[in-house]
């Protein structure tokens, strides 16, 4: 194995709280091995353009409390534009990088996996508030996001109670319903709609009416931005990013559901979409602790020469998985967990 002297670290995709904790873990562990660390700016864009700067222990010492990412992020996909992969390879040489830690979700990790196969030594770290990275129980940012969303449920329930209304809360989560499901269960919401399960609007509305008739004239419904409602947005022009993802927030699915509830039940209904509020703010203890450990574990992999891999939390322990397997599919909510949640809607 070639001697490691300098490593790069980057954060790609949508930001989430806990990224700085992971960067700090990387820099601290790298110091143990005597590696220099370069912070590659704005995800893969920084590698395509060769923009990176040294990161010192002093600089990262206190960033654990800060939301966002000190490196910046982007949704740049070097495999999308001809010549960009060659630019990445050339910049790895020019910057003198012996390995790269790529912190990101499915898309960022997919690039890391492919670059590894092309001879650029990469390791991954799982990050996404969506919590949908395969082969890990934990993704950086999820805990902070659901903490924010649960707080929103509680605030919405207060105003719903005052006005005897239904409040619909639309949360992020793209193709996986983890954020919505955990928010609904932990926030004590009255219904949840997730992309993995076809929405049963009749069942939801009957439940809300039953609640009202039983003397509880208000409720909170949590809706994941990625649900499909028949007939919705068929003629809408959908904007996609470099990885082909539609901007789901623009579809306004929460409002579609809110209108349906009002139309079908006659219960006054209002809608709140918290969007990117879920992605910012100081990370929770859970995110700080786990992100730190994953950042350190990623550097341990580099030290062992285990490229094309990712440290992961499985069953409470740090394990190592192959990036090709990680990126072969996303982790969605199992039907059994959805059924557990349904038990709570009484
Ligand atoms: O993948 C993370 C995520 O926050 C999704 O939940 C959401 O659909 C998307 O990013 C929003 O992306 P952007 O920051 O580009 O609006």
């Amino acid at each position: 194995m070639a001697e490691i002297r300098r490593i790069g670290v980057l954060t790609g995709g949508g930001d989430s709280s806990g990224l700085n904790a992971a960067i700090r873990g990387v820099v601290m562990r790298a110091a143990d091995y005597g590696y220099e660390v370069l912070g590659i700016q704005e995800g893969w864009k920084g590698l395509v353009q060769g923009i990176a700067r040294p990161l010192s222990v002093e600089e990262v010492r206190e960033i654990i409390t800060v939301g966002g990412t000190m490196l910046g992020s982007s949704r740049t996909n070097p495999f999308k534009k001809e010549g960009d992969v060659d630019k990445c390879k050339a910049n790895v040489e020019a910057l003198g990088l012996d390995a790269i830690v790529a912190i990101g979700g499915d898309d960022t990790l997919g690039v890391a996996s492919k670059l590894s196969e092309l001879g650029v030594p990469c390791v991954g770290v799982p990050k996404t508030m969506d919590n949908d990275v395969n082969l890990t129980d934990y993704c950086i940012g999820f805990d902070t996001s659901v903490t924010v969303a649960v707080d929103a449920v509680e605030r919405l329930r207060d105003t719903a109670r005052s006005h005897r209304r239904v409040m619909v809360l639309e949360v992020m989560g793209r193709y996986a319903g983890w954020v919505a499901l955990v928010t609904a269960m932990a926030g004590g919401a009255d219904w949840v709609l997730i992309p993995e399960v076809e929405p049963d609007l009749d069942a939801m509305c009957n439940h809300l009416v039953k609640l009202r008739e039983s003397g509880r004239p208000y409720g909170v419904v949590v809706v994941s931005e990625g649900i499909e409602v028949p007939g919705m947005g068929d003629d809408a022009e959908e904007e996609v990013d470099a990885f082909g993802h539609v901007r789901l927030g623009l579809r306004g699915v929460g409002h579609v559901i809110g209108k349906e509830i009002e139309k079908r039940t006659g219960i006054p209904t209002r809608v709140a979409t918290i969007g990117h509020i879920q992605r910012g703010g100081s990370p929770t203890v859970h995110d700080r602790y786990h992100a730190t450990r994953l950042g350190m574990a990623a550097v341990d992999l580099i030290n062992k020469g285990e490229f094309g891999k990712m440290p992961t939390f499985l069953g409470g322990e740090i394990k190592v998985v192959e990036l090709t397997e990680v990126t072969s599919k996303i982790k969605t909510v199992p039907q059994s967990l959805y059924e557990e949640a349904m038990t709570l809607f009484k």
Side-chain angles (χ1 to χ4, degrees):
M1 192 185 96
E3 195 198 345
I4 306 284
R5 277 177 304 231
R6 184 182 286 169
I7 66 171
V9 56
L10 63 83
T11 52
D15 68 345
S16 67
S17 294
L19 283 170
N20 285 329
I23 295 165
R24 179 174 175 268
V26 168
V27 174
M28 293 292 190
R29 189 54 135 194
D32 289 344
Y33 294 121
Y35 302 159
E36 263 181 72
V37 184
L38 289 194
I40 300 168
Q41 306 296 296
E42 298 177 34
W44 295 114
K45 184 174 158 191
L47 196 63
V48 172
Q49 300 181 350
I51 305 172
R53 63 177 181 82
L55 287 181
S56 66
V57 166
E58 271 324 305
E59 208 176 344
V60 300
R61 209 182 279 288
E62 292 185 19
I63 60 169
I64 195 162
T65 61
V66 183
T69 160
M70 69 177 298
L71 300 176
S73 194
S74 70
R75 295 195 189 276
T76 302
N77 178 0
F79 288 89
K80 181 88 180 163
K81 199 167 151 210
E82 216 184 307
D84 276 3
V85 171
D86 290 335
K87 286 186 190 165
C88 286
K89 286 184 179 172
N91 284 326
V92 166
E93 285 288 314
L95 295 167
L97 296 176
D98 300 308
I100 293 174
V101 180
I103 309 172
D106 199 46
D107 299 329
T108 305
L109 298 173
V111 173
S113 177
K114 286 193 215 159
L115 283 179
S116 280
E117 282 170 2
L118 295 175
V120 178
C122 295
V123 297
V125 172
K127 169 278 332 175
T128 172
M129 63 155 286
D130 300 346
N131 197 36
D132 63 355
V133 174
N134 191 28
L135 296 180
T136 183
D137 296 335
Y138 168 77
C139 296
I140 297 172
F142 175 67
D143 191 65
T144 306
S145 292
V146 288
T147 302
V148 169
V150 164
D151 179 61
V153 167
E154 290 170 7
R155 288 166 192 270
L156 292 174
R157 188 159 44 234
D158 288 346
T159 173
R161 190 186 306 113
S162 304
H163 290 271
R164 280 80 168 113
R165 284 172 175 159
V166 168
M167 294 298 309
V168 174
L169 171 66
E170 180 186 317
V171 295
M172 282 184 170
R174 209 168 253 169
Y175 315 117
W178 293 105
V179 179
L181 188 104
V182 172
T183 299
M185 288 180 84
D190 301 290
W191 202 264
V192 68
L193 299 174
I194 60 173
E196 291 87 342
V197 181
E198 197 183 329
D200 185 345
L201 301 187
D202 287 337
M204 175 180 70
C205 290
N206 289 342
H207 176 64
L208 294 170
V209 168
K210 207 181 83 196
L211 268 184
R212 202 169 181 84
E213 287 171 355
S214 72
R216 210 272 202 156
Y218 58 92
V220 178
V221 171
V222 180
V223 177
S224 177
E225 63 176 356
I227 64 162
E228 292 296 335
V229 185
M232 191 194 94
D234 289 349
D235 50 359
E237 257 189 48
E238 300 195 311
E239 195 180 310
V240 293
D241 66 20
F243 290 91
H245 303 297
V246 171
R247 279 181 63 191
L248 293 169
L250 295 179
R251 304 188 315 155
V253 79
H255 286 280
V256 174
I257 295 301
K259 271 194 204 139
E260 279 301 312
I261 292 173
E262 212 164 50
K263 192 171 89 190
R264 291 172 185 229
T265 66
I267 305 172
T269 303
R270 298 290 188 271
V271 179
T273 303
I274 49 173
H276 296 80
I277 294 170
Q278 294 155 99
R279 297 229 303 245
S282 186
T284 57
V285 170
H286 190 85
D287 273 326
R288 293 178 194 196
Y289 172 73
H290 288 87
T292 299
R293 291 193 66 199
L294 287 178
M296 294 197 295
V299 181
D300 290 339
L301 284 186
I302 290 177
N303 185 253
K304 288 188 217 143
E306 294 193 31
F307 302 115
K309 298 189 182 183
M310 181 181 92
T312 176
F313 274 100
L314 280 173
E317 282 177 36
I318 294 190
K319 300 266 165 63
V320 177
V321 291
E322 298 283 338
L323 280 174
T324 46
E325 276 186 64
V326 169
T327 54
S328 63
K329 60 175 184 178
I330 63 162
K331 180 185 71 177
T332 50
V333 174
Q335 179 72 21
S336 57
L337 185 55
Y338 172 74
E339 279 161 20
E340 271 188 51
M342 293 302 289
T343 300
L344 303 169
F345 305 144
K346 295 208 158 55

